[in-house]
Amino acid sequence: MSVDYGMYARRLLQRCVVFFLISVHFIQSKDVTMVIGEVGGAVTLPCTSDLQRLPIHLYVQRLDPVEFINGYHQTKDLPSPHPEYANRTHVDHLQGTMKLWSIRPSDEGLYECHIRYPTKNNQENIQLNVTANYSIPNITVACDNGRCLVTCSSDNGYPRRDVEWNLNPPLNQSHWRVVNSSGGTDLVSTLFSVFSSISVNCSSGPRLNLSCAVGGALSQEHTVCRPPDTSVVSVVSAVSVIAAVLLSFLVLVFSSKKKKAQTARGNQGGKGAASSDE
């Protein structure tokens, strides 16, 4: 009896695909507890919620590469904690937790807690997301020939964020544009610094107020594209009017005195002529 190796191969392939899909579904459906920690602070990883039974052992590890972080064993000595975590972690097997302090950006990632009980083994997956508040953004403004270059900068934040601009009133994109946007990482702290510069056309709009935000940190509001100061114009106009009125008054006074002097000389001349006739 001949064997259809082609059909056999196709069935084997189908079974492998089904097994792969089932495995992927199992991996994706595994519960992951999300925890957020702030750089420099402390966080507690909840390895178990079953506090009714004491575990035989509980250890925490990271993957890629596999690193034993810290743990507890009822009867055996465990390996020393990983050097990165030796003085920053503590496992409490009574509460089923591991505390981590002096948090760094490099601590972000997936943690596995392996717990063994007398009758079963358990595994908890915990995703630690690390954050750091950005400094209050600083804004600088430089204007020339009807255009203003506005720069926003902020540092010491994590993860990387983009600068967000808020213009009031809103301007059409034809009146402003981003000319530069960049960032860097501190080599020691691995925290991010970001900045962004925009060019604003002040010749086509009214007074403009703007601010910027980075990762929830908001700058103070700054005013650019200032219109002419109407108060100064009013003062200059008022001074000009007063000067004109004063000058007119002086001219009138001078003219009046001149006329009086001429009249007085005329009267004196008339009296002299009368005396001669006598």
Side-chain angles (χ1 to χ4, degrees):
M1 183 177 65
S2 62
V3 178
D4 189 347
Y5 290 102
M7 182 178 294
Y8 178 80
R10 286 194 295 273
R11 288 181 179 177
L12 180 60
L13 178 61
Q14 289 175 352
R15 291 179 181 178
C16 290
V17 171
V18 172
F19 177 78
F20 172 78
L21 294 176
I22 293 175
S23 301
V24 170
H25 177 73
F26 173 77
I27 293 172
Q28 292 179 341
S29 64
K30 187 176 292 186
D31 292 336
V32 176
T33 302
M34 307 295 293
V35 176
I36 298 176
E38 188 173 344
V39 170
V43 69
T44 298
L45 305 184
C47 288
T48 178
S49 58
D50 186 358
L51 301 179
Q52 304 300 318
R53 298 177 296 173
L54 294 180
I56 296 175
H57 74 234
L58 184 157
Y59 67 89
V60 183
Q61 70 177 21
R62 294 190 68 176
L63 302 177
D64 195 25
V66 176
E67 296 175 347
F68 170 76
I69 297 176
N70 207 341
Y72 158 83
H73 198 288
Q74 195 175 67
T75 60
K76 298 179 181 179
D77 292 332
L78 293 177
S80 299
H82 188 274
E84 288 289 325
Y85 300 94
N87 300 315
R88 301 193 298 127
T89 58
H90 173 72
V91 171
D92 185 344
H93 69 283
L94 298 177
Q95 297 296 322
T97 60
M98 186 187 80
K99 186 174 182 180
L100 168 65
W101 58 89
S102 299
I103 295 175
R104 307 165 183 169
S106 58
D107 293 331
E108 185 170 80
L110 182 65
Y111 291 75
E112 287 185 346
C113 295
H114 295 268
I115 310 103
R116 180 182 178 188
Y117 297 105
T119 58
K120 70 171 185 176
N121 295 332
N122 194 23
Q123 175 184 328
E124 298 292 339
N125 299 309
I126 302 169
Q127 174 66 35
L128 173 60
N129 294 327
V130 176
T131 65
N133 295 326
Y134 280 84
S135 63
I136 296 177
N138 180 55
I139 287 183
T140 59
V141 181
C143 298
D144 184 36
N145 294 328
R147 300 197 74 90
C148 288
L149 182 67
V150 187
T151 300
C152 172
S153 60
S154 180
D155 51 25
N156 294 327
Y158 191 88
R160 168 69 185 270
R161 302 293 188 189
D162 294 327
V163 175
E164 298 179 359
W165 290 96
N166 179 37
L167 282 67
N168 182 28
L171 289 182
N172 190 283
Q173 280 290 335
S174 61
H175 297 156
W176 73 281
R177 61 187 178 90
V178 177
V179 296
N180 194 3
S181 184
S182 184
T185 307
D186 185 270
L187 296 178
V188 177
S189 66
T190 66
L191 298 178
F192 289 101
S193 298
V194 295
F195 76 92
S196 175
S197 297
I198 62 173
S199 177
V200 182
N201 183 3
C202 292
S203 63
S204 58
R207 176 190 184 101
L208 176 66
N209 297 319
L210 57 77
S211 61
C212 64
V214 182
L218 180 65
S219 74
Q220 294 182 342
E221 192 172 63
H222 288 251
T223 300
V224 297
C225 302
R226 297 176 182 272
D229 194 336
T230 56
S231 61
V232 174
V233 175
S234 300
V235 170
V236 173
S237 301
V239 171
S240 300
V241 171
I242 293 174
V245 171
L246 182 59
L247 180 62
S248 300
F249 176 75
L250 292 175
V251 169
L252 289 174
V253 170
F254 179 76
S255 299
S256 177
K257 288 184 177 181
K258 186 176 181 181
K259 288 182 180 180
K260 288 182 179 180
Q262 291 175 349
T263 302
R265 286 197 298 268
N267 291 337
Q268 289 179 357
K271 291 180 179 181
S275 299
S276 299
D277 292 340
E278 291 177 356

